Amino acid sequence: MSTPAAPPASPDRDPGLQPERTRLAWRRTTLTGAVIAVLAVKSALHGGPSTAGVLAAALCAVLWLVLLALAHRRIAALAAARPPVLSPPAATAAVLCVIALAVCGAALVF
């Protein structure tokens, strides 16, 4: 006995608001990264700049720019009628950027 085949995907698929919610989530993530980067720079310069503080703040800024580039690419891809799946390398890079931003921000605070 054979199993029934899956129904073919409809070219007129209505994804609802899911792509819009995903775009908004990417925007919130990049906004949070921007806040972390700005607070890292403020923290690094508070009480006089130190080499380690300036390097950590610069690293936060670079990580935020990478995250911003990843988000921009994903938001552009979500504009398609059938957006492609986020690739594992892009997802891994985004996760690592967010974690590294959190670690850098925490290192500057403590």
Side-chain angles (χ1 to χ4, degrees):
M1 191 172 193
S2 66
T3 58
S10 170
D12 299 325
R13 175 181 167 265
D14 179 19
L17 294 177
Q18 187 272 329
E20 180 65 21
R21 287 191 307 267
T22 304
R23 276 192 294 276
L24 289 172
W26 278 103
R27 296 273 185 210
R28 284 189 307 270
T29 303
T30 56
L31 179 61
T32 302
V35 169
I36 291 171
V38 167
L39 290 176
V41 169
K42 180 183 177 210
S43 177
L45 298 177
H46 182 71
S50 67
T51 304
V54 170
L55 286 176
L59 180 61
C60 282
V62 168
L63 288 168
W64 175 72
L65 288 173
V66 171
L67 183 63
L68 188 64
L70 288 167
H72 180 71
R73 284 182 45 201
R74 187 60 189 159
I75 288 169
L78 287 170
R82 272 191 130 11
V85 175
L86 182 63
S87 68
T92 302
V95 168
L96 290 176
C97 282
V98 169
I99 290 171
L101 270 170
V103 168
C104 286
L108 282 169
V109 171
F110 298 117

